[in-house]
Amino acid sequence: SSLGREFPRTMLEAAWRSQLLKLNVTHFGAAALRAFCEGSVDYSGAFTPAQVLAETRPLIFATPHYGAPMVGCVALAHLMHRRKTVNAFYDKERYGAEVGPFLERGGLRSAASLGGLAGVRTALRALARGECLAILPDAFDHVEQTLVVPFLGRLLRVASGTAFLALRSRAPIVPAFAIPRRKFGLCITLGTPIDPACINADDESQALFTLTHLLFARIEEQLRLAPEHWLYWGVLPQVSTPLGAAPLANPQLIEALKVRFRALPPAVQDIPELELLLE
């Protein structure tokens, strides 16, 4: 396991690299940012830059708090330059003064604040115009609309905004992980898109759960490969509960839940963690 005795040192080194990269790049002007994106950013993963550029639909880039996500958003905006506009969806009230000017120099448009309905409408209008969106799906502060998904052997409460925007716009979600390189620069890992059109669910709440679970399963895969870059390890105990920590004592309730589980659509039944809860 990567989470051994060496993990604190590895995590500290990863945080130092991310901070050093961010401190330098966020002071670049527009021309220097373009040069950085052209000469110091690599791409890896199942979804190639050529496939990104060939996609005719709008895309939602889900960029968790992993490595240097805001620098990654600028690199993605540069990748999409002259093809599609990329909008950033983040908490402007808290981070606008710090992040906004940097994103604008990097070619992004600031869509809206993280929590407001006006922001959701603005983001949906951008997606309807065929534009793309970069959003941080693992934001745990000021979470209003939430649901619970299995994550790293725990039940995690997360915002449903990314899945909601994908469902309403039919835009595929592309997991994107921006990892600082050992030499000054960035490697962006792009995961296979999660297509909301492939979700078979009876109602929107089930579809939201399934999409969110699929996204966080992809994030979990990346964390198991290289956990040291995630910025929220310290927050995880406060926003999650160990699976099976508080077993249900009422046999009738358990049986009713089992009946309900068996009635769920196949796409939801395929999530093994749901059955774990009823054992």
Side-chain angles (χ1 to χ4, degrees):
S1 170
S2 300
L3 301 178
R5 290 181 181 178
E6 288 294 304
F7 182 63
R9 183 192 61 79
T10 309
M11 188 176 177
L12 186 62
E13 181 183 333
W16 178 79
R17 288 185 188 283
S18 294
Q19 194 67 14
L20 191 63
L21 181 74
K22 189 178 87 169
L23 282 173
N24 280 275
V25 174
T26 51
H27 288 98
F28 287 174
L33 274 176
R34 283 195 299 274
F36 172 82
C37 292
E38 286 167 10
S40 301
V41 179
D42 301 324
Y43 289 89
S44 66
F47 201 45
T48 66
Q51 288 172 306
V52 171
L53 294 173
E55 179 57 64
T56 56
R57 293 173 293 177
L59 296 170
I60 297 174
F61 293 106
T63 56
H65 291 77
Y66 183 91
M70 289 305 183
V71 181
C73 289
V74 166
L76 289 167
H78 179 81
L79 176 66
M80 303 297 287
H81 184 54
R82 295 197 180 97
R83 299 292 182 99
K84 289 191 178 95
T85 298
V86 179
N87 298 270
F89 194 77
Y90 69 101
D91 191 340
K92 281 200 302 188
E93 289 183 10
R94 295 182 66 189
Y95 305 114
E98 173 192 353
V99 172
F102 166 64
L103 294 179
E104 287 174 20
R105 289 197 305 277
L108 284 105
R109 281 215 308 254
S110 177
S113 61
L114 187 63
L117 282 175
V120 172
R121 291 192 205 100
T122 305
L124 285 173
R125 282 197 294 269
L127 292 166
R129 291 192 299 267
E131 299 174 5
C132 295
L133 190 67
I135 187 169
L136 287 80
D138 58 340
F140 299 121
D141 295 332
H142 306 299
V143 171
E144 294 166 5
Q145 299 295 323
T146 62
L147 45 79
V148 175
V149 294
F151 184 71
L152 292 167
R154 303 174 75 87
L155 292 176
L156 178 69
R157 183 168 290 281
V158 297
S160 59
T162 307
F164 176 82
L165 291 167
L167 275 177
R168 289 297 174 93
S169 66
R170 313 308 285 171
I173 302 170
V174 181
F177 304 93
I179 306 163
R181 300 189 312 194
R182 286 203 164 268
K183 289 186 177 180
F184 185 75
L186 198 66
C187 179
I188 298 181
T189 299
L190 297 172
T192 303
I194 302 166
D195 192 343
C198 297
I199 301 299
N200 176 25
D202 290 342
D203 58 43
E204 187 174 79
S205 62
Q206 287 182 4
L208 284 173
F209 170 80
T210 304
L211 259 183
T212 305
H213 177 270
L214 289 171
L215 172 57
F216 275 81
R218 299 284 178 81
I219 294 172
E220 178 172 336
E221 284 176 18
Q222 181 64 32
L223 263 58
R224 290 188 182 279
L225 284 172
E228 64 271 18
H229 300 286
W230 197 43
L231 308 182
Y232 275 153
W233 285 115
V235 178
L236 187 62
Q238 283 80 56
V239 294
S240 65
T241 307
L243 270 171
L248 296 168
N250 188 325
Q252 290 81 15
L253 178 59
I254 294 174
E255 192 55 41
L257 286 171
K258 286 182 178 178
V259 170
R260 175 64 178 156
F261 171 73
R262 294 184 191 108
L264 290 175
V268 180
Q269 285 192 29
D270 286 342
I271 299 168
E273 290 90 346
L274 285 181
E275 196 158 23
L276 288 175
L277 299 179
L278 303 178
E279 288 180 350

